[in-house]
Amino acid sequence: MESEKKESISATRRRRLSPADRREQILDAALACCIRNASFEVSMIEVAREVGVSRNLVYHYFSNQDTLMNAMISREAQTIQSRIAEIPFSTPEETMFSVILEYLRTMTRNVEALRTALATPRIREKVSPHLEELQELVAMRLAEALGFSWSGTVKNALLSGANFILHLVREAGRDLHLAEDAAAELCVNVCRQAAEGAARIDRETSAAMQTAAH
């Protein structure tokens, strides 16, 4: 029975795929290796073994390890950004909770690889721009949920809030998934208070400047 199962898997891997499907299969394998190893330092041989194809076939689609890792990181970043961007608006609190929970779950699921990436200069250089884009998207969705314009002190406060969430995940690690709803509620409160305080500062600063001008 086990032999038949292995033969079936092998046949599935050997079947002809379109170039686009094969490329996605290789990227899926690279991601699986990264998660298993808790590292973005994955060899082309390991990825080829994961797929069940020759190393040369992997090189046919990706010229080297850097090209493969760049493509995988970019794809994963786009996937999570799409999920967060597509979360529908309901009430401010529910929208903020949904956005933050999705962000928390994604970061927690990949926290070991993320820690390693941020501690490795060569990999951090690849990951950081995507991470910054993701944090900005999260902060923008929170501003939208609260009805604040994306500018001034509010923008900076919510970017700091998104960074707070990332630090929470890095410190708590995968154990955070045991209390992810409570963590999301905490982050909602932190971000809401930060944004409301920033909005008050902007209003008072604007009023003071208008008074001084007269």
Side-chain angles (χ1 to χ4, degrees):
M1 187 72 177
E2 185 64 25
S3 176
E4 291 178 0
K5 181 178 179 182
K6 288 181 179 178
E7 287 178 5
S8 175
I9 293 172
S10 179
T12 299
R13 287 174 168 174
R14 286 197 304 269
R15 74 179 187 273
R16 291 187 63 84
L17 298 176
S18 70
D21 287 343
R22 180 66 76 185
R23 186 178 188 276
E24 290 300 304
Q25 185 188 46
I26 292 171
L27 291 175
D28 288 341
L31 178 62
C33 291
C34 288
I35 293 174
R36 183 172 60 245
N37 299 345
S39 172
F40 285 92
E41 298 286 0
V42 175
S43 72
M44 303 292 268
I45 294 176
E46 185 178 3
V47 173
R49 287 174 179 166
E50 184 75 18
V51 180
V53 299
S54 70
R55 180 176 57 177
N56 286 341
L57 183 60
V58 176
Y59 276 111
H60 174 74
Y61 286 90
F62 301 97
S63 59
N64 53 46
Q65 184 195 41
D66 276 354
T67 304
L68 174 59
M69 289 298 103
N70 285 340
M72 187 207 69
I73 292 168
S74 179
R75 187 189 70 162
E76 293 309 300
Q78 290 172 7
T79 298
I80 178 58
Q81 286 183 34
S82 294
R83 289 203 300 265
I84 288 176
E86 291 167 3
I87 291 173
F89 179 83
S90 50
T91 65
E93 288 291 322
E94 290 176 354
T95 304
M96 291 180 71
F97 181 84
S98 296
V99 168
I100 288 174
L101 185 61
E102 181 65 42
Y103 183 43
L104 277 172
R105 283 175 173 168
T106 300
M107 294 295 102
T108 301
R109 187 167 60 246
N110 300 298
V111 66
E112 286 88 357
L114 179 64
R115 283 171 171 170
T116 303
L118 294 177
T120 308
R122 185 176 72 85
I123 304 299
R124 184 173 65 240
E125 186 178 354
K126 301 177 188 299
V127 171
S128 292
H130 297 292
L131 197 55
E132 289 170 6
E133 287 181 5
L134 177 57
Q135 288 182 294
E136 183 165 337
L137 174 61
V138 169
M140 288 177 68
R141 289 299 323 262
L142 298 180
E144 175 191 31
L146 289 165
F148 291 135
S149 61
W150 181 241
S151 62
T153 312
V154 170
K155 175 181 176 179
N156 292 330
L158 287 173
L159 285 172
S160 296
N163 198 43
F164 164 79
I165 298 170
L166 178 63
H167 280 290
L168 177 64
V169 171
R170 290 178 65 185
E171 291 299 319
R174 292 187 67 87
D175 289 342
L176 190 63
H177 82 277
L178 299 173
E180 60 185 15
D181 283 2
E185 289 285 1
L186 167 66
C187 294
V188 166
N189 290 332
V190 168
C191 291
R192 185 186 63 247
Q193 291 177 22
E196 290 175 348
R200 184 168 62 252
I201 290 171
D202 282 346
R203 287 195 301 271
E204 292 177 358
T205 300
S206 178
M209 290 176 65
Q210 289 179 7
T211 299
H214 289 88

